[in-house]
Amino acid sequence: MDLSGDGAALGPEWQTAGNNVCGVLRGWGDVSRAAARFVRAGWWTRSSDWESYEVGTEWCAVELTPVGGSEVLLNGVVDPGRLDDLVVLLSGPGVGFGVELYDGRGELCREVEGGR
């Protein structure tokens, strides 16, 4: 997968924020295919190790880590007011996902399941 530095940098208010979003992508194939979907949406991406990618835009940055089969873990930070935008990006035919949003105290505030 081609890496891209073209997307908008993560906004300063989110650069020091703790992780507040996690989830799993189901049926996406390998992790590079998942990262490619973010690149097509205009996000930046970079390899974070031999198998994982970091992807981001001004309101979200997450790490995508393969866990076997066609599942990919997602973990990082998102502007809580833009969670629905992330959900739209993750939605598509033949794929599924689950994401959880946490507040500053680590309490679950929202959970979204989609697809498949």
Side-chain angles (χ1 to χ4, degrees), residues 76-93:
V77 63
V78 65
D79 173 345
R82 303 287 304 262
L83 183 66
D84 289 336
D85 295 323
L86 179 60
V87 166
V88 168
L89 177 61
L90 298 178
S91 299

Side-chain angles (χ1 to χ4, degrees), residues 10-101:
L10 185 63
E13 67 273 29
W14 303 112
Q15 290 176 6
T16 57
N19 287 359
N20 67 350
V21 67
C22 65
V24 62
L25 311 178
R26 299 179 195 95
W28 286 58
D30 67 20
V31 69
S32 65
R33 196 167 135 210
R37 178 176 276 191
F38 288 87
V39 169
R40 285 191 303 274
W43 292 39
W44 57 262
T45 184
R46 64 178 163 250
S47 177
S48 57
D49 65 26
W50 287 104
E51 297 179 321
S52 301
Y53 290 92
E54 293 175 0
V55 297
T57 191
E58 62 190 58
W59 50 269
C60 182
V62 294
E63 178 138 4
L64 303 174
T65 306
V67 290
S70 62
E71 290 192 347
V72 174
L73 294 181
L74 175 148
N75 186 41
V77 63
V78 65
D79 173 345
R82 303 287 304 262
L83 183 66
D84 289 336
D85 295 323
L86 179 60
V87 166
V88 168
L89 177 61
L90 298 178
S91 299
V95 296
F97 65 90
V99 292
E100 298 175 344
L101 178 67

